[in-house]
Amino acid sequence: MSAVITDWETAPEPRVCTLEDYRGAEARWCPGCGDHAVLNAVQRLARDKQLPPEKTVVVSGIGCSSRFPHYMATYGFHGLHGRAFPVACGVRSRRPDLNIFVVTGDGDCCAIGTAHWIHAIRYNMKLAILLLDNNIYGLTKSQTSPTTRLGERSSTHPQGSFVAPLNPLSVTLGIANVSFVAQTVDWNPPHLYATIRAAHEHDGAAFVRVLQRCPHFTSHVFQEPQRDFGRLLLADHPDGIPIDPAVRSLFPNRIHHDPRDLPSARELAARDDVYPIGLLYRNRDALRYDQATSRGLGKTPAEKLAAVEETLERFTI
Ligand code: SF4
């Protein structure tokens, strides 16, 4: 008689994810589009942090940059225009275990999605929010967006935009309970990567505005700071975005800025003589709404039923 094998369960082999494990469909953005650089940075971050693809979600709205979830081999939600935030907040409410990235554009976030943007920042749920700001509606072929600069021509304003643009950094820094605001550029991969990494590691809603090149419609918009790094002002602080000294030395123009100082962050955000980059503000103590919405997630069905019955009891007349 053969012996009964009882010890047959084996632990799964430890898995090491490579970049290929995060690569989804081939990106169909224009050649030279800054969105490619952001996609590379997020895929590298996922690989470096070994984020399980099945525990990672990319949520977007509508626009060129919002095609992002298709190009990641993770879970994704390519949603409605301006509605990335409520979807992401809903996911976070019930799944504290997931890595969530929100990818939105200036038309998506700063126009139709404005109310959701404001309240997602105020609710401060743990989300890495990437605003890819190219100053134009690209997908629908060059309409003026909320961040289009004065005088810029577009298909809706052929004589040039005549309404002052909205500053996404200043708006975000004006929202109650804001906890993380940073700015970076798509054409400096190390700074871009370090900023997205800091956002992912932040325990709250981390808002990153990426100045993003759109060679198809706004190729001239960021030409100056691309050619001359002196036009960028690096917010420098031991508690800021950690970057390699060699990368730091690329930015001749630096300012000592304590990211806990909200009034200084607002002043820095409002400067229009330079492009401030780095960590403008971080408050690690801001209240997180997802810590309230995730209460009770570990309860068994019987415990949940008992809790519902107990609540209903209170309304029994
Ligand atoms: Fe990128 Fe602009 Fe092309 Fe859209 S239109 S894919 S933003 S370069």
Side-chain angles (χ1 to χ4, degrees):
M1 198 173 105
S2 60
V4 177
I5 301 171
T6 53
D7 189 20
W8 54 273
E9 283 189 25
T10 55
E13 286 289 313
R15 177 177 54 158
V16 178
C17 292
T18 65
L19 277 177
E20 278 311 310
D21 292 308
Y22 301 102
R23 287 191 177 129
E26 188 181 347
R28 284 165 49 198
W29 293 308
C30 304
C33 175
D35 292 355
H36 292 285
V38 182
L39 178 66
N40 286 339
V42 172
Q43 288 172 340
R44 275 192 51 215
L45 171 68
R47 188 270 319 266
D48 294 349
K49 304 276 293 185
Q50 286 295 298
L51 306 182
E54 70 279 7
K55 293 269 184 184
T56 303
V57 189
V58 181
V59 182
S60 70
I62 295 293
C64 287
S65 57
S66 287
R67 293 194 55 77
F68 213 97
H70 299 276
Y71 308 145
M72 293 285 295
T74 60
Y75 283 100
F77 194 107
H78 186 181
L80 296 173
H81 205 197
R83 270 59 181 174
F85 289 109
V87 172
C89 289
V91 175
R92 173 56 77 213
S93 287
R94 309 315 293 159
R95 293 298 301 268
D97 57 319
L98 299 183
N99 305 292
I100 307 177
F101 295 87
V102 179
V103 181
T104 178
D106 41 303
D108 191 58
C109 172
C110 308
I112 191 169
T114 309
H116 297 305
W117 165 30
I118 289 172
H119 293 288
I121 296 297
R122 188 171 71 90
Y123 278 26
N124 193 34
M125 296 190 177
K126 182 169 168 49
L127 305 169
I129 301 162
L130 310 178
L131 167 64
L132 277 58
D133 187 354
N134 57 6
N135 288 198
I136 200 81
Y137 283 90
L139 188 71
T140 47
K141 311 280 181 264
S142 183
Q143 292 83 20
T144 298
S145 92
T147 61
T148 303
R149 297 176 200 177
L150 284 174
E152 288 292 334
R153 295 169 192 267
S154 71
S155 56
T156 46
H157 293 85
Q159 306 299 320
S161 171
F162 52 82
V163 180
L166 176 152
N167 179 333
L169 298 176
S170 297
V171 171
T172 309
L173 286 165
I175 299 170
N177 206 39
V178 58
S179 76
F180 183 110
V181 177
Q183 178 155 270
T184 184
V185 296
D186 78 56
W187 56 92
N188 187 282
H191 193 269
L192 175 69
Y193 173 88
T195 309
I196 295 175
R197 184 173 181 129
H200 167 71
E201 290 171 354
H202 176 65
D203 282 328
F207 180 85
V208 178
R209 182 195 190 194
V210 182
L211 302 182
Q212 179 239 311
R213 292 165 299 170
C214 169
H216 201 73
F217 293 119
T218 53
S219 59
H220 57 290
V221 163
F222 298 124
Q223 251 175 17
E224 256 190 61
Q226 275 172 70
R227 290 180 180 159
D228 175 10
F229 273 28
R231 296 278 291 123
L232 300 167
L233 178 62
L234 180 71
D236 208 14
H237 194 272
D239 200 26
I241 302 290
I243 50 171
D244 195 84
V247 176
R248 183 174 174 272
S249 67
L250 291 173
F251 303 100
N253 208 358
R254 301 178 207 137
I255 185 169
H256 182 80
H257 169 67
D258 185 341
R260 291 169 301 184
D261 185 344
L262 184 58
S264 294
R266 288 175 174 155
E267 270 177 38
L268 197 52
R271 284 187 63 167
D272 55 9
D273 54 328
V274 284
Y275 297 85
I277 62 167
L279 183 60
L280 275 72
Y281 183 65
R282 177 167 53 208
N283 175 7
R284 292 187 168 100
D285 299 324
L287 177 142
R288 272 179 55 192
Y289 198 75
D290 48 330
Q291 288 174 336
T293 56
S294 60
R295 265 187 231 137
L297 282 179
K299 286 188 190 296
T300 64
E303 286 170 333
K304 285 180 186 168
L305 191 60
V308 169
E309 281 172 357
E310 189 188 318
T311 305
L312 291 177
E313 275 292 308
R314 280 195 263 139
F315 297 98
T316 306
I317 300 171

